Amino acid sequence: MELSQLPLVLFYRAVLSVSSQKWLTEGDPVTLICGVKGSSTGWTFSWFTLTASSDYGNHYKLLSDSSRGAGGNYTVSSAALNHTGIYVCRGERENTACNTTFSNKQPLWITGVSPPVSLIIGPNRAQHFSRATLSLSCEDQSNSGRWRMRSYTDHWGMENCSSRWASQTGSTCTISSITTSSTGVYWCWSESGENYNPVNITVHAGVILESPVHPVTEGDTLTLRCLYKRSTPPNLRADFYKDGSLIQNQTTEMIIPNVSKSHEGFYYCKHPERGQSPKSWISVTVSHSESQISVLHTLSSVLAVCPYLLVTVVLIVKCCRMRVTSVEEEET
């Protein structure tokens, strides 16, 4: 067959984006948007999640409700903890054999106030020194032991806790010597497909910021320290920054009492000789009790107004009836 007679094969690339940030709170809405680069019409889409495998390749699982995102938008009106995962999409053209490649990977991390399983980190901080030992344990109230650790890093992709880089004992995963390539998101999962409690872990060879792994509850006290492994004591007298602005200088720790939503942001510390730590996002959540109080306050306000609204409606109805009656009398 001559070269000119060979069928023309076009390779289209699917592109996946998200309507909001990839870190969400339980109940937030989110939309995944799939498009085809260089082409905009005639496509239907399928949606997949990335699964870990023993051969370190990419394996995708078709979402059971994939058809509801056929138009290019896959919308979750209220994100649940179990929506945590890595998503991809792919386009297909009707009545042709034309498919796109799998899209870029789009992670979604969903955090909640009361997840069914607790993720315990040791040492209990978001940033860690390279070459140190890190342990991660998934614990529920029944101590069932069915939970395992899963990670997603830029360097290795998605992986289970394995002998290649860690050891799993029950629900505890131990990494004997972490490196900067260990930086990523870690969460608890079960073989039944549940994914809970994602946390962002950063590994650095120099200065690190001692900051909480999990979100801070509004009203609590937040304490931050600047640490350096090769000094005694490890606490450094350093400058502390939030979102790029200096907020406290030359101190061994920064304490923020009565934390509020306004304290959310990216924090880091800087030492004039040792260097600067990576940035860590500090998230602040409203306590469950405060949420209940807010709901009760709203309900009480509505109930307080209801009698006045009821009286107003009754008066309006009576006025309308009186007008109708007067009009009928004039006509007769």
Side-chain angles (χ1 to χ4, degrees):
M1 181 181 293
E2 295 181 3
L3 184 63
S4 60
Q5 295 176 321
L6 291 173
L8 180 62
V9 179
L10 297 177
F11 293 96
Y12 291 97
R13 184 164 67 91
V15 179
L16 180 59
S17 59
V18 64
S19 62
S20 58
Q21 60 182 3
K22 62 184 180 180
W23 282 93
L24 302 169
T25 302
E26 187 179 10
D28 287 346
V30 62
T31 298
L32 295 169
I33 305 162
C34 192
V36 179
K37 190 173 183 180
S39 179
S40 59
T41 59
W43 296 96
T44 58
F45 298 91
S46 300
W47 301 82
F48 305 81
T49 54
L50 180 65
T51 61
S53 62
S54 58
D55 59 2
Y56 312 118
N58 289 329
H59 292 258
Y60 304 107
K61 178 182 178 182
L62 180 68
L63 293 178
S64 59
D65 59 349
S66 181
S67 60
R68 72 185 179 93
N73 287 353
Y74 183 88
T75 300
V76 177
S77 58
S78 179
L81 295 175
N82 205 37
H83 285 118
T84 285
I86 315 299
Y87 293 80
V88 297
C89 65
R90 186 175 64 182
E92 302 172 357
R93 245 184 183 147
E94 296 181 0
N95 304 321
T96 69
C98 186
N99 294 337
T100 70
T101 59
F102 282 104
S103 71
N104 54 296
K105 302 178 184 69
Q106 177 62 59
L108 287 182
W109 313 116
I110 318 298
T111 59
V113 177
S114 301
V117 58
S118 298
L119 177 54
I120 300 171
I121 311 292
N124 185 24
R125 57 179 183 247
Q127 297 185 16
H128 299 266
F129 295 115
S130 58
R131 307 301 176 186
T133 298
L134 177 67
S135 69
L136 308 101
S137 299
C138 298
E139 298 181 3
D140 58 16
Q141 292 182 348
S142 61
N143 294 321
S144 61
R146 68 189 181 95
W147 299 101
R148 296 293 181 267
M149 184 59 53
R150 182 167 279 181
S151 67
Y152 181 75
T153 64
D154 291 337
H155 187 82
W156 299 108
M158 183 184 288
E159 292 185 300
N160 296 332
C161 182
S162 63
S163 58
R164 187 183 67 78
W165 56 273
S167 60
Q168 182 88 41
T169 304
S171 293
T172 300
C173 181
T174 303
I175 310 173
S176 57
S177 182
I178 55 177
T179 65
T180 53
S181 63
S182 304
T183 295
V185 178
Y186 295 74
W187 69 96
C188 300
W189 72 283
S190 69
E191 293 184 355
S192 59
E194 297 168 291
N195 297 289
Y196 295 120
N197 240 337
V199 296
N200 200 10
I201 297 295
T202 302
V203 182
H204 190 56
V207 173
I208 66 171
L209 178 71
E210 186 180 66
S211 60
V213 177
H214 300 290
V216 182
T217 302
E218 197 169 21
D220 287 354
T221 298
L222 172 63
T223 301
L224 303 174
R225 296 184 181 90
C226 202
L227 305 180
Y228 186 66
K229 190 176 184 179
R230 293 186 291 274
S231 65
T232 304
N235 287 23
L236 293 177
R237 184 171 292 277
D239 299 333
F240 290 84
Y241 293 79
K242 175 182 181 289
D243 298 328
S245 299
L246 178 66
I247 53 176
Q248 193 165 317
N249 63 344
Q250 289 302 297
T251 180
T252 56
E253 65 179 19
M254 186 178 72
I255 299 175
I256 304 175
N258 196 22
V259 170
S260 66
K261 270 291 191 179
S262 64
H263 291 110
E264 278 192 339
F266 285 100
Y267 290 79
Y268 64 93
C269 64
K270 186 176 182 180
H271 187 270
E273 298 174 359
R274 306 298 184 185
Q276 178 180 312
S277 75
K279 298 176 182 179
S280 275
W281 172 262
I282 304 296
S283 179
V284 179
T285 59
V286 179
S287 67
H288 185 62
S289 58
E290 288 180 357
S291 298
Q292 286 183 329
I293 291 172
S294 178
V295 171
L296 289 174
H297 178 73
T298 302
L299 287 174
S300 63
S301 299
V302 171
L303 291 174
V305 172
C306 277
Y308 299 99
L309 291 176
L310 183 59
V311 170
T312 302
V313 170
V314 171
L315 290 174
I316 291 172
V317 171
K318 283 186 175 183
C319 287
C320 289
R321 285 180 178 177
M322 290 175 65
R323 285 184 179 181
V324 170
T325 302
S326 62
V327 170
E328 289 177 351
E329 290 177 351
E330 288 178 0
E331 290 179 350
T332 56

XYZ file of all heavy atoms in Angstrom, residues 12-18 22 32-37 45-50 58 60 85-91 100-108 152:
320
model
N -6.048 13.626 19.134
C -6.602 14.743 19.885
C -6.265 14.565 21.362
O -6.266 13.437 21.886
C -8.118 14.813 19.719
C -8.562 15.215 18.329
C -8.929 14.255 17.397
C -8.624 16.552 17.959
C -9.340 14.620 16.114
C -9.037 16.934 16.693
C -9.391 15.957 15.772
O -9.792 16.323 14.516
N -6.013 15.652 22.026
C -5.648 15.610 23.441
C -6.762 16.218 24.291
O -7.187 17.350 24.050
C -4.342 16.354 23.687
C -3.832 16.270 25.131
C -2.380 16.682 25.215
N -2.183 18.091 24.912
C -2.192 19.048 25.831
N -2.399 18.750 27.107
N -1.989 20.303 25.485
N -7.231 15.453 25.263
C -8.232 15.959 26.200
C -7.541 16.785 27.274
O -6.438 16.456 27.726
C -9.000 14.808 26.836
N -8.196 17.870 27.681
C -7.649 18.765 28.710
C -8.674 18.881 29.831
O -9.840 19.203 29.582
C -7.340 20.161 28.134
C -6.796 21.073 29.226
C -6.356 20.052 26.982
N -8.242 18.615 31.046
C -9.139 18.622 32.210
C -8.780 19.774 33.144
O -7.617 19.988 33.471
C -9.036 17.297 32.968
C -9.912 17.122 34.212
C -11.385 17.273 33.871
C -9.654 15.767 34.869
N -9.803 20.528 33.557
C -9.618 21.614 34.525
C -10.699 21.502 35.589
O -11.644 20.720 35.463
C -9.667 22.984 33.839
O -10.911 23.159 33.168
N -10.565 22.316 36.633
C -11.517 22.273 37.739
C -12.030 23.687 37.987
O -11.307 24.668 37.804
C -10.867 21.682 39.006
C -9.733 22.559 39.507
C -11.888 21.440 40.111
N -8.284 22.759 44.210
C -8.312 21.300 44.350
C -8.499 20.849 45.799
O -8.852 19.700 46.042
C -7.038 20.689 43.775
C -5.757 21.110 44.472
C -4.541 20.522 43.776
C -3.242 20.940 44.450
N -2.054 20.382 43.779
N -15.765 19.478 37.302
C -14.629 19.121 36.464
C -15.016 19.394 35.014
O -16.101 19.021 34.567
C -14.271 17.642 36.651
C -13.759 17.254 38.039
C -13.701 15.742 38.179
C -12.392 17.855 38.290
N -14.139 20.053 34.277
C -14.442 20.503 32.924
C -13.472 19.839 31.951
O -12.253 20.011 32.052
C -14.325 22.033 32.823
C -15.221 22.693 33.876
C -14.693 22.516 31.428
C -14.867 24.130 34.158
N -14.027 19.065 31.007
C -13.203 18.350 30.033
C -13.421 18.954 28.649
O -14.563 19.168 28.223
C -13.569 16.870 30.020
S -12.385 15.837 29.100
N -12.353 19.238 27.963
C -12.414 19.761 26.602
C -11.384 19.070 25.733
O -10.546 18.301 26.214
N -11.446 19.325 24.439
C -10.513 18.729 23.489
C -9.731 19.852 22.817
O -10.314 20.771 22.236
C -11.251 17.891 22.429
C -10.256 17.292 21.436
C -12.056 16.783 23.103
N -8.428 19.791 22.929
C -7.580 20.841 22.379
C -7.690 20.867 20.859
O -7.490 19.864 20.178
C -6.132 20.610 22.800
C -5.210 21.773 22.469
C -3.829 21.579 23.064
C -2.946 22.784 22.779
N -1.589 22.625 23.357
N -17.954 12.504 26.490
C -16.818 12.304 27.387
C -17.076 11.183 28.398
O -18.215 10.958 28.812
C -16.512 13.614 28.127
C -16.116 14.735 27.211
C -17.058 15.612 26.698
C -14.792 14.895 26.841
C -16.700 16.636 25.840
C -14.413 15.921 25.984
C -15.367 16.788 25.485
N -16.003 10.523 28.751
C -16.023 9.522 29.817
C -15.096 9.995 30.928
O -14.100 10.674 30.672
C -15.568 8.157 29.293
O -16.410 7.698 28.253
N -15.430 9.580 32.160
C -14.709 10.071 33.327
C -14.159 8.905 34.129
O -14.836 7.895 34.342
C -15.635 10.929 34.198
C -16.180 12.085 33.439
C -17.251 12.097 32.586
C -15.650 13.409 33.420
N -17.426 13.348 32.052
C -16.471 14.177 32.538
C -14.602 14.037 34.077
C -16.244 15.518 32.302
C -14.372 15.380 33.842
C -15.189 16.109 32.961
N -12.918 9.055 34.600
C -12.213 7.967 35.267
C -11.504 8.484 36.519
O -11.227 9.678 36.642
C -11.159 7.349 34.340
C -11.678 6.875 33.008
C -11.882 7.777 31.963
C -11.951 5.532 32.788
C -12.353 7.345 30.732
C -12.417 5.089 31.559
C -12.623 5.997 30.529
N -11.195 7.551 37.417
C -10.302 7.852 38.541
C -9.059 6.985 38.413
O -9.112 5.855 37.908
C -10.974 7.587 39.903
O -11.484 6.248 39.932
C -12.098 8.574 40.148
N -7.948 7.530 38.854
C -6.672 6.828 38.813
C -6.597 5.852 39.978
O -6.956 6.188 41.102
C -5.530 7.838 38.890
C -4.098 7.307 38.856
C -3.797 6.664 37.517
C -3.116 8.440 39.138
N -0.101 3.548 35.077
C -1.366 4.248 35.263
C -2.527 3.332 34.913
O -2.596 2.810 33.796
C -1.412 5.500 34.385
C -0.473 6.579 34.873
O -0.217 6.698 36.070
N 0.051 7.376 33.965
N -6.850 3.150 35.141
C -8.004 4.018 35.320
C -9.275 3.200 35.508
O -9.486 2.195 34.834
C -8.170 4.955 34.111
C -6.948 5.791 33.826
C -6.130 5.516 32.734
C -6.596 6.845 34.663
C -5.001 6.281 32.481
C -5.481 7.616 34.416
C -4.685 7.322 33.323
O -3.567 8.079 33.084
N -9.615 11.936 45.296
C -9.009 11.069 44.289
C -8.392 11.849 43.149
O -8.401 13.084 43.121
N -7.860 11.118 42.170
C -7.227 11.691 40.985
C -8.125 11.383 39.791
O -8.412 10.220 39.505
C -5.828 11.093 40.753
C -5.033 11.030 42.063
C -5.082 11.892 39.695
C -4.779 12.359 42.706
N -8.557 12.421 39.093
C -9.525 12.272 38.004
C -8.875 12.524 36.646
O -7.968 13.355 36.511
C -10.685 13.255 38.196
C -11.550 12.952 39.401
C -11.147 13.323 40.679
C -12.756 12.271 39.260
C -11.928 13.037 41.792
C -13.557 11.988 40.361
C -13.131 12.375 41.624
O -13.909 12.080 42.723
N -9.363 11.804 35.637
C -8.995 12.054 34.242
C -10.253 11.902 33.393
O -11.250 11.318 33.834
C -7.892 11.089 33.725
C -6.607 11.271 34.490
C -8.366 9.646 33.800
N -10.207 12.422 32.177
C -11.334 12.277 31.261
C -10.819 11.876 29.883
O -9.617 11.958 29.598
C -12.150 13.564 31.178
S -11.249 14.976 30.468
N -11.742 11.457 29.020
C -11.388 11.104 27.643
C -12.566 11.405 26.738
O -13.726 11.196 27.120
C -11.007 9.627 27.546
C -10.483 9.222 26.166
C -9.994 7.783 26.155
N -11.072 6.858 26.413
C -10.916 5.537 26.507
N -9.697 5.006 26.406
N -11.938 4.745 26.746
N -12.321 11.904 25.531
C -13.377 12.241 24.590
C -13.529 11.199 23.497
O -12.561 10.554 23.086
N -9.836 10.582 22.019
C -8.707 11.388 22.485
C -7.805 10.540 23.370
O -8.163 9.434 23.776
C -9.190 12.598 23.301
O -9.723 12.141 24.559
C -10.244 13.394 22.555
N -6.644 11.073 23.678
C -5.819 10.481 24.720
C -6.463 10.768 26.081
O -7.371 11.599 26.185
C -4.415 11.099 24.701
O -4.542 12.519 24.899
C -3.715 10.834 23.381
N -6.009 10.098 27.104
C -6.453 10.452 28.447
C -5.942 11.856 28.771
O -4.851 12.245 28.355
C -5.931 9.468 29.492
C -6.687 8.172 29.533
C -6.148 7.012 28.983
C -7.946 8.113 30.105
C -6.837 5.823 29.014
C -8.648 6.922 30.145
C -8.100 5.775 29.593
N -6.746 12.589 29.526
C -6.384 13.965 29.865
C -5.282 14.017 30.912
O -4.834 12.981 31.429
C -7.623 14.697 30.405
O -7.958 14.197 31.693
N -4.872 15.225 31.218
C -3.996 15.449 32.364
C -4.713 15.016 33.639
O -5.942 14.962 33.702
C -3.631 16.933 32.455
C -4.867 17.822 32.477
O -5.635 17.860 31.506
N -5.083 18.528 33.575
N -3.951 14.711 34.672
C -4.529 14.273 35.949
C -4.945 15.487 36.772
O -4.213 16.453 36.885
C -3.530 13.418 36.726
C -3.060 12.180 35.983
C -2.035 11.422 36.811
C -1.471 10.246 36.045
N -0.625 10.649 34.907
N -6.138 15.413 37.357
C -6.657 16.498 38.191
C -7.022 15.935 39.570
O -7.985 15.195 39.705
C -7.888 17.137 37.556
C -8.525 18.231 38.386
C -7.574 19.390 38.612
O -7.098 20.010 37.680
N -7.289 19.700 39.864
N -6.233 16.250 40.610
C -6.571 15.750 41.950
C -7.649 16.590 42.623
O -7.750 17.804 42.391
C -5.248 15.850 42.711
C -4.528 16.982 42.042
C -4.958 16.980 40.599
N -8.461 15.953 43.433
C -9.415 16.625 44.314
C -9.211 16.082 45.716
O -9.243 14.870 45.939
C -10.866 16.374 43.863
C -11.376 17.082 42.610
C -12.833 16.722 42.375
C -11.211 18.589 42.712
N 0.025 10.339 46.734
C 0.135 10.863 45.368
C 1.202 11.947 45.373
O 1.064 12.978 46.048
C -1.194 11.441 44.879
C -1.124 11.955 43.468
C -1.109 11.077 42.388
C -1.052 13.321 43.204
C -1.034 11.537 41.095
C -0.973 13.802 41.898
C -0.965 12.897 40.849
O -0.875 13.360 39.556
